[in-house]
mmCIF file of all heavy atoms in Angstrom:
data_model
loop_
_atom_site.group_PDB
_atom_site.id
_atom_site.type_symbol
_atom_site.label_atom_id
_atom_site.label_comp_id
_atom_site.label_asym_id
_atom_site.label_seq_id
_atom_site.Cartn_x
_atom_site.Cartn_y
_atom_site.Cartn_z
ATOM 1 N N GLU A 292 12.818 29.627 -9.870
ATOM 2 C CA GLU A 292 12.039 28.543 -9.261
ATOM 3 C C GLU A 292 11.633 27.492 -10.291
ATOM 4 O O GLU A 292 11.466 26.314 -9.968
ATOM 5 C CB GLU A 292 10.774 29.100 -8.613
ATOM 6 C CG GLU A 292 10.995 29.918 -7.369
ATOM 7 C CD GLU A 292 9.687 30.505 -6.873
ATOM 8 O OE1 GLU A 292 8.630 29.908 -7.125
ATOM 9 O OE2 GLU A 292 9.719 31.570 -6.238
ATOM 10 N N MET A 293 11.443 27.916 -11.538
ATOM 11 C CA MET A 293 10.911 27.020 -12.555
ATOM 12 C C MET A 293 11.950 26.051 -13.111
ATOM 13 O O MET A 293 11.604 25.115 -13.827
ATOM 14 C CB MET A 293 10.303 27.841 -13.694
ATOM 15 C CG MET A 293 9.060 28.611 -13.271
ATOM 16 S SD MET A 293 8.630 29.937 -14.407
ATOM 17 C CE MET A 293 8.373 29.044 -15.931
ATOM 18 N N GLU A 294 13.218 26.298 -12.818
ATOM 19 C CA GLU A 294 14.246 25.365 -13.263
ATOM 20 C C GLU A 294 13.948 23.983 -12.659
ATOM 21 O O GLU A 294 13.790 23.821 -11.457
ATOM 22 C CB GLU A 294 15.624 25.832 -12.796
ATOM 23 C CG GLU A 294 16.767 24.903 -13.157
ATOM 24 C CD GLU A 294 16.984 24.781 -14.657
ATOM 25 O OE1 GLU A 294 16.448 25.615 -15.413
ATOM 26 O OE2 GLU A 294 17.694 23.866 -15.074
ATOM 27 N N GLY A 295 13.844 23.007 -13.504
ATOM 28 C CA GLY A 295 13.523 21.660 -13.048
ATOM 29 C C GLY A 295 12.061 21.301 -13.139
ATOM 30 O O GLY A 295 11.681 20.140 -12.908
ATOM 31 N N TRP A 296 11.185 22.284 -13.452
ATOM 32 C CA TRP A 296 9.782 21.935 -13.663
ATOM 33 C C TRP A 296 9.674 20.961 -14.837
ATOM 34 O O TRP A 296 10.266 21.196 -15.900
ATOM 35 C CB TRP A 296 8.968 23.187 -14.003
ATOM 36 C CG TRP A 296 8.580 24.051 -12.838
ATOM 37 C CD1 TRP A 296 9.150 24.053 -11.600
ATOM 38 C CD2 TRP A 296 7.549 25.027 -12.815
ATOM 39 N NE1 TRP A 296 8.544 24.991 -10.805
ATOM 40 C CE2 TRP A 296 7.548 25.600 -11.525
ATOM 41 C CE3 TRP A 296 6.621 25.485 -13.749
ATOM 42 C CZ2 TRP A 296 6.660 26.600 -11.154
ATOM 43 C CZ3 TRP A 296 5.737 26.490 -13.378
ATOM 44 C CH2 TRP A 296 5.749 27.037 -12.092
ATOM 45 N N PRO A 297 8.946 19.876 -14.670
ATOM 46 C CA PRO A 297 8.765 18.950 -15.793
ATOM 47 C C PRO A 297 8.058 19.622 -16.963
ATOM 48 O O PRO A 297 7.149 20.435 -16.768
ATOM 49 C CB PRO A 297 7.902 17.833 -15.197
ATOM 50 C CG PRO A 297 8.082 17.948 -13.724
ATOM 51 C CD PRO A 297 8.288 19.414 -13.452
ATOM 52 N N ARG A 298 8.475 19.315 -18.177
ATOM 53 C CA ARG A 298 7.841 19.860 -19.371
ATOM 54 C C ARG A 298 6.691 18.948 -19.778
ATOM 55 O O ARG A 298 6.858 17.742 -19.947
ATOM 56 C CB ARG A 298 8.849 19.945 -20.508
ATOM 57 C CG ARG A 298 10.033 20.856 -20.199
ATOM 58 C CD ARG A 298 9.647 22.297 -20.354
ATOM 59 N NE ARG A 298 10.792 23.189 -20.140
ATOM 60 C CZ ARG A 298 10.850 24.436 -20.550
ATOM 61 N NH1 ARG A 298 9.812 24.961 -21.189
ATOM 62 N NH2 ARG A 298 11.913 25.178 -20.319
ATOM 63 N N SER A 299 5.514 19.538 -19.958
ATOM 64 C CA SER A 299 4.330 18.728 -20.265
ATOM 65 C C SER A 299 4.149 18.487 -21.755
ATOM 66 O O SER A 299 3.422 17.581 -22.161
ATOM 67 C CB SER A 299 3.073 19.401 -19.711
ATOM 68 O OG SER A 299 2.851 20.646 -20.375
ATOM 69 N N GLY A 300 4.774 19.324 -22.595
ATOM 70 C CA GLY A 300 4.637 19.154 -24.035
ATOM 71 C C GLY A 300 3.391 19.764 -24.629
ATOM 72 O O GLY A 300 3.146 19.618 -25.834
ATOM 73 N N VAL A 301 2.583 20.449 -23.820
ATOM 74 C CA VAL A 301 1.390 21.112 -24.343
ATOM 75 C C VAL A 301 1.601 22.615 -24.293
ATOM 76 O O VAL A 301 2.548 23.108 -23.681
ATOM 77 C CB VAL A 301 0.119 20.722 -23.558
ATOM 78 C CG1 VAL A 301 -0.134 19.223 -23.655
ATOM 79 C CG2 VAL A 301 0.229 21.158 -22.106
ATOM 80 N N SER A 302 0.713 23.351 -24.926
ATOM 81 C CA SER A 302 0.876 24.792 -25.043
ATOM 82 C C SER A 302 -0.361 25.523 -24.522
ATOM 83 O O SER A 302 -1.407 24.925 -24.278
ATOM 84 C CB SER A 302 1.110 25.180 -26.504
ATOM 85 O OG SER A 302 -0.018 24.817 -27.290
ATOM 86 N N ALA A 303 -0.206 26.829 -24.394
ATOM 87 C CA ALA A 303 -1.326 27.697 -24.030
ATOM 88 C C ALA A 303 -1.348 28.880 -24.978
ATOM 89 O O ALA A 303 -0.306 29.306 -25.482
ATOM 90 C CB ALA A 303 -1.186 28.175 -22.584
ATOM 91 N N GLU A 304 -2.524 29.393 -25.232
ATOM 92 C CA GLU A 304 -2.665 30.578 -26.077
ATOM 93 C C GLU A 304 -3.673 31.528 -25.445
ATOM 94 O O GLU A 304 -4.560 31.101 -24.693
ATOM 95 C CB GLU A 304 -3.091 30.200 -27.488
ATOM 96 C CG GLU A 304 -4.364 29.389 -27.567
ATOM 97 C CD GLU A 304 -4.628 28.843 -28.964
ATOM 98 O OE1 GLU A 304 -3.853 27.987 -29.424
ATOM 99 O OE2 GLU A 304 -5.631 29.283 -29.564
ATOM 100 N N VAL A 305 -3.526 32.810 -25.740
ATOM 101 C CA VAL A 305 -4.359 33.840 -25.133
ATOM 102 C C VAL A 305 -4.916 34.734 -26.218
ATOM 103 O O VAL A 305 -4.205 35.091 -27.171
ATOM 104 C CB VAL A 305 -3.553 34.705 -24.131
ATOM 105 C CG1 VAL A 305 -4.481 35.620 -23.350
ATOM 106 C CG2 VAL A 305 -2.745 33.829 -23.187
ATOM 107 N N HIS A 306 -6.188 35.116 -26.085
ATOM 108 C CA HIS A 306 -6.849 35.942 -27.093
ATOM 109 C C HIS A 306 -7.620 37.084 -26.430
ATOM 110 O O HIS A 306 -8.236 36.903 -25.385
ATOM 111 C CB HIS A 306 -7.824 35.100 -27.925
ATOM 112 C CG HIS A 306 -7.174 33.929 -28.586
ATOM 113 N ND1 HIS A 306 -6.444 34.046 -29.732
ATOM 114 C CD2 HIS A 306 -7.141 32.614 -28.236
ATOM 115 C CE1 HIS A 306 -5.986 32.845 -30.076
ATOM 116 N NE2 HIS A 306 -6.389 31.966 -29.182
ATOM 117 N N LEU A 307 -7.559 38.237 -27.056
ATOM 118 C CA LEU A 307 -8.371 39.375 -26.639
ATOM 119 C C LEU A 307 -9.757 39.205 -27.243
ATOM 120 O O LEU A 307 -9.909 39.161 -28.465
ATOM 121 C CB LEU A 307 -7.749 40.682 -27.120
ATOM 122 C CG LEU A 307 -8.474 41.973 -26.742
ATOM 123 C CD1 LEU A 307 -8.455 42.176 -25.233
ATOM 124 C CD2 LEU A 307 -7.848 43.163 -27.459
ATOM 125 N N GLY A 308 -10.762 39.088 -26.407
ATOM 126 C CA GLY A 308 -12.103 38.872 -26.933
ATOM 127 C C GLY A 308 -13.119 38.748 -25.829
ATOM 128 O O GLY A 308 -12.827 38.903 -24.643
ATOM 129 N N SER A 309 -14.339 38.435 -26.227
ATOM 130 C CA SER A 309 -15.458 38.367 -25.297
ATOM 131 C C SER A 309 -15.757 36.925 -24.912
ATOM 132 O O SER A 309 -15.719 36.023 -25.745
ATOM 133 C CB SER A 309 -16.702 38.993 -25.947
ATOM 134 O OG SER A 309 -17.843 38.752 -25.149
ATOM 135 N N ALA A 310 -16.107 36.740 -23.648
ATOM 136 C CA ALA A 310 -16.495 35.414 -23.168
ATOM 137 C C ALA A 310 -17.800 34.951 -23.772
ATOM 138 O O ALA A 310 -18.140 33.768 -23.709
ATOM 139 C CB ALA A 310 -16.607 35.420 -21.643
ATOM 140 N N SER A 311 -18.573 35.858 -24.352
ATOM 141 C CA SER A 311 -19.849 35.502 -24.960
ATOM 142 C C SER A 311 -19.734 35.297 -26.468
ATOM 143 O O SER A 311 -20.756 35.165 -27.158
ATOM 144 C CB SER A 311 -20.893 36.590 -24.679
ATOM 145 O OG SER A 311 -20.485 37.830 -25.226
ATOM 146 N N ASP A 312 -18.527 35.250 -26.993
ATOM 147 C CA ASP A 312 -18.308 35.031 -28.417
ATOM 148 C C ASP A 312 -17.982 33.556 -28.646
ATOM 149 O O ASP A 312 -16.946 33.085 -28.199
ATOM 150 C CB ASP A 312 -17.157 35.914 -28.904
ATOM 151 C CG ASP A 312 -16.922 35.777 -30.406
ATOM 152 O OD1 ASP A 312 -17.587 34.943 -31.047
ATOM 153 O OD2 ASP A 312 -16.073 36.513 -30.936
ATOM 154 N N PRO A 313 -18.843 32.819 -29.327
ATOM 155 C CA PRO A 313 -18.593 31.387 -29.518
ATOM 156 C C PRO A 313 -17.485 31.084 -30.507
ATOM 157 O O PRO A 313 -17.007 29.946 -30.573
ATOM 158 C CB PRO A 313 -19.936 30.854 -30.032
ATOM 159 C CG PRO A 313 -20.563 32.031 -30.708
ATOM 160 C CD PRO A 313 -20.128 33.246 -29.932
ATOM 161 N N ASP A 314 -17.026 32.074 -31.276
ATOM 162 C CA ASP A 314 -16.066 31.800 -32.333
ATOM 163 C C ASP A 314 -14.726 31.311 -31.810
ATOM 164 O O ASP A 314 -14.028 30.554 -32.492
ATOM 165 C CB ASP A 314 -15.852 33.052 -33.182
ATOM 166 C CG ASP A 314 -17.059 33.380 -34.046
ATOM 167 O OD1 ASP A 314 -17.915 32.482 -34.213
ATOM 168 O OD2 ASP A 314 -17.153 34.508 -34.543
ATOM 169 N N TRP A 315 -14.335 31.763 -30.580
ATOM 170 C CA TRP A 315 -13.022 31.344 -30.124
ATOM 171 C C TRP A 315 -12.970 29.857 -29.780
ATOM 172 O O TRP A 315 -11.902 29.263 -29.663
ATOM 173 C CB TRP A 315 -12.523 32.196 -28.963
ATOM 174 C CG TRP A 315 -13.457 32.412 -27.806
ATOM 175 C CD1 TRP A 315 -14.219 33.508 -27.571
ATOM 176 C CD2 TRP A 315 -13.711 31.520 -26.712
ATOM 177 N NE1 TRP A 315 -14.938 33.357 -26.413
ATOM 178 C CE2 TRP A 315 -14.641 32.151 -25.861
ATOM 179 C CE3 TRP A 315 -13.235 30.257 -26.373
ATOM 180 C CZ2 TRP A 315 -15.110 31.559 -24.693
ATOM 181 C CZ3 TRP A 315 -13.712 29.666 -25.207
ATOM 182 C CH2 TRP A 315 -14.630 30.314 -24.379
ATOM 183 N N PHE A 316 -14.127 29.223 -29.652
ATOM 184 C CA PHE A 316 -14.120 27.768 -29.455
ATOM 185 C C PHE A 316 -13.586 27.055 -30.695
ATOM 186 O O PHE A 316 -13.125 25.926 -30.609
ATOM 187 C CB PHE A 316 -15.528 27.269 -29.142
ATOM 188 C CG PHE A 316 -15.825 27.195 -27.670
ATOM 189 C CD1 PHE A 316 -16.636 28.134 -27.070
ATOM 190 C CD2 PHE A 316 -15.290 26.193 -26.884
ATOM 191 C CE1 PHE A 316 -16.923 28.072 -25.711
ATOM 192 C CE2 PHE A 316 -15.563 26.124 -25.524
ATOM 193 C CZ PHE A 316 -16.377 27.069 -24.949
ATOM 194 N N SER A 317 -13.661 27.700 -31.849
ATOM 195 C CA SER A 317 -13.165 27.072 -33.071
ATOM 196 C C SER A 317 -11.651 26.896 -33.030
ATOM 197 O O SER A 317 -11.086 26.125 -33.796
ATOM 198 C CB SER A 317 -13.554 27.907 -34.292
ATOM 199 O OG SER A 317 -12.935 29.189 -34.245
ATOM 200 N N ARG A 318 -10.983 27.629 -32.120
ATOM 201 C CA ARG A 318 -9.532 27.493 -31.985
ATOM 202 C C ARG A 318 -9.168 26.264 -31.161
ATOM 203 O O ARG A 318 -7.991 25.923 -31.049
ATOM 204 C CB ARG A 318 -8.949 28.740 -31.320
ATOM 205 C CG ARG A 318 -9.175 30.030 -32.103
ATOM 206 C CD ARG A 318 -8.471 31.190 -31.416
ATOM 207 N NE ARG A 318 -8.536 32.397 -32.207
ATOM 208 C CZ ARG A 318 -9.423 33.368 -32.026
ATOM 209 N NH1 ARG A 318 -10.328 33.246 -31.077
ATOM 210 N NH2 ARG A 318 -9.420 34.446 -32.789
#
Side-chain angles (χ1 to χ4, degrees):
E292 290 176 28
M293 293 163 60
E294 178 65 15
W296 280 19
R298 299 282 184 161
S299 65
V301 299
S302 62
E304 56 189 67
V305 189
H306 303 281
L307 181 65
S309 171
S311 61
D312 183 355
D314 289 344
W315 50 260
F316 268 105
S317 64
R318 299 184 174 97

